[in-house]
Amino acid sequence: MNIPFLDLKAPYIELKDELDAAYRRVMESGWYILGTEVEAFEAEFAAYCESKYCIGVANGLDALHLIVRAYGIGPGDEVIVPSNTYIATWLAVTHAGATPVPVEPDVRTYNIDPAKIEQAITPKTKAIMVVHLYGQTADMDPINVIAQKHGLKVIEDCAQAHGARYKDRRTGSLGDAAGFSFYPGKNLGAIGDGGAVTTNDDILAERISVLRNYGSKVKYINDLKGYNSRLDELQAAFLRVKLSRLDEWNERRRLVAQQYLTNICANTLKLPYVAEKVDPVWHLFVIRTGIRQQLQDKLYADGIGTLVHYPIPPHRQEAYNELGFSSGAFPLAEKMALETLSLPIGPHMDAMAVDRVVALVDAIIENV
């Protein structure tokens, strides 16, 4: 039995009638950009995230970049970012002309360590961009306290954490603003690309609404030097269907994760740690091992799909050579890049498939 890392066809099969109806509704309307579907999704997703506003944009990177731009952060400014994250978090900062300043993670949760943030703050620091990595929220209360003390904005990168909670509060409402990705593999994924910003800030919401549409409120009248970054009607319609199932599908992910946590016996593996105050949505189930390549190769040979998130940390990417970070500059991020492996997980993975992965992981670790 082959088990893919993530089955992207299964969601369509489950929701075929509703998704097909959404497609027909949009196609028959003759209106494909910034119409009623986007407006409805924005209202529904804002309510889901317990935030005042949602502004649909083209993708998750644009969501973060537009937040940074809208806050007026640019050349000469610094934004604190995690040292271990997908490069889009850093790109959002540099696309605005600002400089990302990396901070190492909590070794247990892999999220940015609040205890290490304050030492990275300088007079140039304007914001802290936190990532809720793998679907588990960062420790937001101390981060917000630090931000308030130093007059900084807190920007959430929620690309992997749709629906996750921190002390019973949803991601998307834990800081000043949040960026979401709706890439197809996300917990809430479009059938194509898409993104959104959520915030309670009236001024920020208005500014991003203008920036995403060429800097224009009224056609051919441009108040700002804006961008073309709009969530389209078709993706909004699909997302509305999937949003209605998000909590159910996240609960299915939790059951898969619990099965892994309960049944994997290999004591040389580091399994995910979940802090008491958080309710993760298990976008990824990430283990750590010093024999990652052997484990991944043997699982692949047995038909089990796995992925590495992420093999090269941003500070070691050629794209960021100008920052001058040498090997060993951020040892925790580098160690995780060498040891982490993501096992299959998703809302359409059944218990039999999970049992097969568990049995193979334990057998491989025991015999390597």
Side-chain angles (χ1 to χ4, degrees), residues 257-270:
Q258 190 56 51
Q259 196 172 345
Y260 278 143
L261 290 169
T262 301
N263 296 324
I264 291 177
C265 296
N267 56 19
T268 59
L269 288 180
K270 287 189 172 119

Side-chain angles (χ1 to χ4, degrees), residues 1 10 89 123 150 183 328 358:
M1 174 175 62
T89 311
H150 294 276
Y183 183 77
V358 168

Side-chain angles (χ1 to χ4, degrees), residues 56-327:
V57 297
N59 53 69
L61 172 55
D62 280 3
L64 295 172
H65 171 225
L66 290 175
I67 293 169
V68 176
R69 286 276 186 182
Y71 276 134
I73 299 170
D77 297 330
E78 295 176 349
V79 176
I80 289 173
V81 295
S83 60
N84 64 310
T85 182
Y86 185 54
I87 200 169
T89 311
W90 288 41
L91 290 173
V93 176
T94 52
H95 285 350
T99 301
V101 175
V103 168
E104 288 270 73
D106 180 316
V107 71
R108 299 170 304 166
T109 66
Y110 310 150
N111 280 318
I112 193 168
D113 188 342
K116 297 173 182 173
I117 289 175
E118 212 156 8
Q119 65 197 45
I121 295 173
T122 75
K124 297 179 180 180
T125 308
K126 302 300 181 186
I128 304 168
M129 187 176 288
V130 301
V131 178
H132 304 307
L133 200 64
Y134 309 150
Q136 179 169 188
T137 62
D139 192 0
M140 294 302 295
D141 281 356
I143 293 171
N144 282 320
V145 168
I146 292 167
Q148 290 164 10
K149 176 181 174 182
H150 294 276
L152 307 177
K153 297 297 184 183
V154 175
I155 303 169
E156 299 174 76
D157 181 341
C158 299
Q160 300 184 3
H162 311 71
R165 288 187 179 274
Y166 175 83
K167 296 185 176 179
D168 293 324
R169 291 150 50 214
R170 295 264 199 203
T171 55
S173 61
L174 301 174
D176 293 291
F180 286 85
S181 167
F182 302 129
Y183 183 77
K186 304 299 185 183
N187 290 42
L188 179 60
I191 306 178
D193 231 329
V197 173
T198 58
T199 185
N200 292 322
D201 185 328
D202 299 351
I203 295 172
L204 183 76
E206 174 68 19
R207 192 169 179 84
I208 290 175
S209 295
V210 173
L211 282 172
R212 73 171 173 181
N213 189 39
Y214 298 101
S216 175
K217 295 180 188 177
V218 179
K219 194 167 186 176
Y220 302 130
I221 299 175
N222 301 84
D223 304 307
L224 302 171
K225 296 181 182 71
Y227 304 86
N228 177 14
S229 181
R230 302 171 299 202
L231 180 66
D232 69 68
E233 285 286 284
L234 193 57
Q235 297 305 333
F238 292 147
L239 287 166
R240 293 181 67 197
V241 173
K242 289 189 170 186
L243 179 59
S244 69
R245 304 297 179 88
L246 179 56
D247 285 342
E248 176 189 343
W249 286 5
N250 281 343
E251 186 56 36
R252 294 186 203 171
R253 287 175 177 270
R254 290 186 184 99
L255 293 175
V256 173
Q258 190 56 51
Q259 196 172 345
Y260 278 143
L261 290 169
T262 301
N263 296 324
I264 291 177
C265 296
N267 56 19
T268 59
L269 288 180
K270 287 189 172 119
L271 296 176
Y273 167 86
V274 179
E276 290 183 8
K277 63 192 95 174
V278 307
D279 185 10
V281 291
W282 298 103
H283 175 63
L284 299 172
F285 189 93
V286 179
I287 61 174
R288 285 177 61 194
T289 174
I291 57 165
R292 179 179 71 193
Q293 194 60 58
Q294 297 98 307
L295 177 59
Q296 186 174 34
D297 288 347
K298 289 181 179 296
L299 287 172
Y300 177 78
D302 279 307
I304 309 300
T306 61
L307 287 176
V308 175
H309 297 87
Y310 302 95
I312 305 174
H315 74 277
R316 298 300 295 152
Q317 297 281 2
E318 187 175 348
Y320 283 101
N321 278 348
E322 79 278 3
L323 296 181
F325 293 121
S326 60
S327 177

